[in-house]
Amino acid sequence: MSYLDKITSPTLLLDEKICRANLKMMADKAQRHRMELVPHFKTAQSRLIGSWAKEYGIKEITTSSVKMTKYLLGDGWENIHIAFPFNPREVEKLDELASSQSISVQLINTETTKHLASTLSNPVGFFIEIDAGYGRTGVDSRDYSKIQEILDIAKNTPNLNFKGFYLHPGHTYYGNIPAIYEETREALGRLKKEFKPQFPHLVTRTGDTPGCAVVEDFGDIDQLGPGNFVFFDLMQAYLGSCAKSDIAVAMAVPVVDIKKDRKEILVHGGGVHFAKDVLQNEDGSMNFGELVYLKDDGWEIPNDGSHLKKISQEHGLLKASDELLGRVKVGDLIGILPVHSCMTADCMGEYLTLDGNWVDHAEGPKN
Amino acid sequence: MSYLDKITSPTLLLDEKICRANLKMMADKAQRHRMELVPHFKTAQSRLIGSWAKEYGIKEITTSSVKMTKYLLGDGWENIHIAFPFNPREVEKLDELASSQSISVQLINTETTKHLASTLSNPVGFFIEIDAGYGRTGVDSRDYSKIQEILDIAKNTPNLNFKGFYLHPGHTYYGNIPAIYEETREALGRLKKEFKPQFPHLVTRTGDTPGCAVVEDFGDIDQLGPGNFVFFDLMQAYLGSCAKSDIAVAMAVPVVDIKKDRKEILVHGGGVHFAKDVLQNEDGSMNFGELVYLKDDGWEIPNDGSHLKKISQEHGLLKASDELLGRVKVGDLIGILPVHSCMTADCMGEYLTLDGNWVDHAEGPKN
């Protein structure tokens, strides 16, 4: 029986071979640069995929919430880093996690550092997050006095251990990658030089998928932390981080209506399945995902312009090529490559492999 | 203890008083027009909120998936209508639901009608969905031959019972509401006249929140089916369907950093909590939600321009007024009115009332 026979409603397919090739590619790249790969697991959010990652030498991972960390506990990770400016209301939950697992958090201000210092009963590591220059979060890389203030609080707190500097250059998604990485190398290199005398073991970490995919000069940065590369997606393909054939997930959606005259196909699959990230086609129209033909051993990418042009809560409307209109009928399944795989996986809460096995995700199944 | 003391991470608050007032307002409006209100429960997706709806005379509800229907089963609804072009791969699940609950589905083509006719072992009602003119789904209102074909299949099938015509004018969100409702009245009135001789008990239903909120002439339409009005949201407020004070849900988010110089506040609350629906401010900037101040008995709407200007998976960055910057500190909670409450509720999977009680949602808790 094919995995396709199991599917009655929108289902996120995972091609294990592609996913493993992506893990291996990035692990090889880190090794080539004598860096450690600490992938961000906000994309996969899966214990099984974590076990695959270990086969490629990955020993530590990153999450973006206390909750996600709790889900990934107990799998023997040497450390789990929560890469989000720590929310002081979660200090009790953190303390509990830290009683059984090596955990690090991200700090960007003295208020939260003081709160942790006065509350924790278990040891927790921390990175100071450095503002990458696009203003989402982090301390300015030249604000040594603020950095020193945070470090001084930690110095007097046995349970708060400084690990290094973390810089996420998320603006590579729309900026000039070589220029951004020049700034990243400069900022992290300078901070290392400045604070290494006080903290000889500090490490520096950076990593976003577009940058880690194409950059070959990481200077003296110690660790890479990309997340999305585990699956990739259409956004990454259009940025040049991957080929469409490197995308490891596709949504299987049932065809519910066909309008040949309008060259449109209506599927069950909308915003609650894909999330609402969107690309713009060259002609200005919207692209919420692109067609693939599902086969027993994977999917075929036609590249004929068939794409989701409109979605609502549960509906998806495809602009369909003549080939697609000729090949499918109501009740068939087609595949859609997602625009942003992290958000799509979070919506769906599980994966189905091409062997017909369900793979876990922190959110739990949608269906 | 205030409900606020329970909150450590993003939490969707529900003000029961506002929600009940919204239910009553729409039930009163339907009664005034001698119409039946059959609300779409894709917004609330909640059994408890369903029980509130019953107190205002609501006897039937609508869902947008088989899965949502399954969740709402067993609460004594006279009928549950699945307002999505039926997906033939789910016929077995439907048949099972129909063994214990009066169910109706939506049909728009002969393929699915035939499939249901040949498969169902339990009686199921159906509406024919009429294309409202914005091309998402449905049969053209003048395509009598296609409508007759569907009806002819059903006529010979004791388990497939025609109930009437359903038209969802979703383009009221960006079109001229009076003109759209003139077309809606005309189309449904004409179809009723045409098919009533064959089906004397057929009913017509329409309903989207912007239209149902402001239109006062529904012609001979029998039923109203809006969904979003149960909570409303910022999109509806800006469309003029409600006041901001009618919005029944707000996300409580923890403040994790404050940048006074940039007039920005960073909160834990991003795309996985709010979804990514967005409004555009008058100056062209983005608005992913607006600030409210949380109090023990509800929230206060400052209307001072403080809003979420940027979100990523877990981060939310607010443009903050001087008042906001003066009032909050790291670790505090602030409230955010959502842009699109249906999607936000679906992301969060539960609600917290101002009495500190958790309210169920079909998706189940996020935290």
Side-chain angles (χ1 to χ4, degrees), chain A residues 30-325:
Chain A
Q31 203 177 27
R32 209 161 66 234
H33 290 275
R34 300 170 189 273
M35 296 170 83
E36 192 192 343
L37 174 61
V38 184
H40 202 314
F41 253 56
K42 71 171 187 160
T43 305
Q45 299 190 48
S46 168
R47 299 180 72 165
L48 183 67
I49 299 173
S51 75
W52 301 348
K54 286 184 187 166
E55 295 179 34
Y56 304 98
I58 292 160
K59 297 189 168 114
E60 301 187 23
I61 53 169
T62 294
T63 65
S64 55
S65 68
V66 167
K67 179 194 151 210
M68 202 187 292
T69 311
K70 194 172 170 189
Y71 179 77
L72 295 166
L73 224 59
D75 286 346
W77 294 109
E78 289 186 5
N79 188 66
I80 302 179
H81 175 62
I82 306 173
F84 185 87
F86 191 74
N87 159 15
R89 298 180 85 91
E90 296 195 302
V91 67
E92 283 170 38
K93 291 189 213 167
L94 171 68
D95 206 19
E96 200 190 314
L97 299 182
S99 68
S100 67
Q101 164 75 51
S102 167
I103 302 267
S104 52
V105 297
Q106 210 139 288
L107 295 176
I108 57 173
N109 57 46
T110 53
E111 294 91 323
T112 303
T113 311
K114 279 182 201 158
H115 186 62
L116 284 175
S118 65
T119 320
L120 285 174
S121 60
N122 291 290
V124 166
F126 72 94
F127 280 79
I128 293 178
E129 181 173 10
I130 301 301
D131 186 340
Y134 71 112
R136 183 176 73 173
T137 169
V139 181
D140 187 292
S141 76
R142 299 196 176 270
D143 195 348
Y144 294 170
S145 70
K146 189 168 186 182
I147 292 169
Q148 193 63 55
E149 272 186 274
I150 294 172
L151 293 173
D152 287 343
I153 299 165
K155 267 187 190 163
N156 299 314
T157 312
N159 281 336
L160 216 41
N161 306 309
F162 180 55
K163 299 187 67 161
F165 296 101
Y166 185 106
L167 187 155
H168 174 71
H171 48 341
T172 53
Y173 283 79
Y174 46 87
N176 175 323
I177 295 181
I180 289 168
Y181 266 73
E182 198 177 318
E183 281 173 44
T184 299
R185 283 190 303 271
E186 186 280 323
L188 290 178
R190 181 165 41 76
L191 287 163
K192 191 191 268 188
K193 208 168 150 193
E194 180 73 21
F195 291 94
K196 202 131 190 170
Q198 290 179 63
F199 296 92
H201 302 295
L202 79 82
V203 296
T204 53
R205 187 187 300 175
T206 195
D208 60 289
T209 289
C212 292
V214 301
V215 170
E216 289 295 339
D217 178 4
F218 295 97
D220 70 350
I221 299 170
D222 301 296
Q223 302 180 331
L224 284 184
N228 180 282
F229 77 97
V230 175
F231 296 156
F232 286 122
D233 52 32
L234 284 180
M235 203 186 292
Q236 299 291 346
Y238 283 107
L239 282 168
S241 319
C242 68
K244 287 183 189 171
S245 55
D246 296 324
I247 300 174
V249 288
M251 189 84 77
V253 291
V255 171
V256 298
D257 199 36
I258 297 173
K259 298 227 160 156
K260 290 212 174 186
D261 50 334
R262 292 190 194 170
K263 303 202 172 194
E264 286 175 354
I265 287 182
L266 185 71
V267 297
H268 186 199
V272 295
H273 308 102
F274 288 102
K276 289 202 170 167
D277 293 86
V278 62
L279 296 167
Q280 207 160 5
N281 295 317
E282 277 178 13
D283 64 0
S285 61
M286 297 291 120
N287 177 351
F288 291 92
E290 291 182 10
L291 170 78
V292 294
Y293 291 108
L294 300 175
K295 300 187 302 178
D296 279 353
D297 59 348
W299 48 79
E300 179 198 324
I301 304 172
N303 260 331
D304 64 357
S306 296
H307 67 277
L308 272 179
K309 64 178 194 175
K310 215 163 142 182
I311 59 173
S312 43
Q313 189 163 336
E314 306 259 358
H315 297 75
L317 191 65
L318 271 111
K319 182 182 170 214
S321 68
D322 290 332
E323 191 197 349
L324 174 58
L325 290 167

Side-chain angles (χ1 to χ4, degrees), chain A residues 4 7-8 67 87 89 93 109 131 134-136 138 256-257 259 262 276-277 312 331 346 366, chain B residues 7-8 67 87 89 93 109 131 134-136 138 256-257 259 262 276-277 310 312-313 331 346 366:
Chain A
L4 294 167
I7 300 175
T8 56
K67 179 194 151 210
N87 159 15
R89 298 180 85 91
K93 291 189 213 167
N109 57 46
D131 186 340
Y134 71 112
R136 183 176 73 173
V256 298
D257 199 36
K259 298 227 160 156
R262 292 190 194 170
K276 289 202 170 167
D277 293 86
S312 43
D346 195 85
K366 186 92 189 161
Chain B
I7 300 174
T8 57
K67 178 192 149 211
N87 159 17
R89 298 180 85 92
K93 291 189 214 168
N109 57 47
D131 186 340
Y134 70 113
R136 184 175 74 173
V256 297
D257 199 36
K259 297 225 162 156
R262 294 191 194 168
K276 288 201 171 169
D277 294 86
K310 214 162 142 183
S312 45
Q313 190 163 337
D346 195 85
K366 185 91 190 162

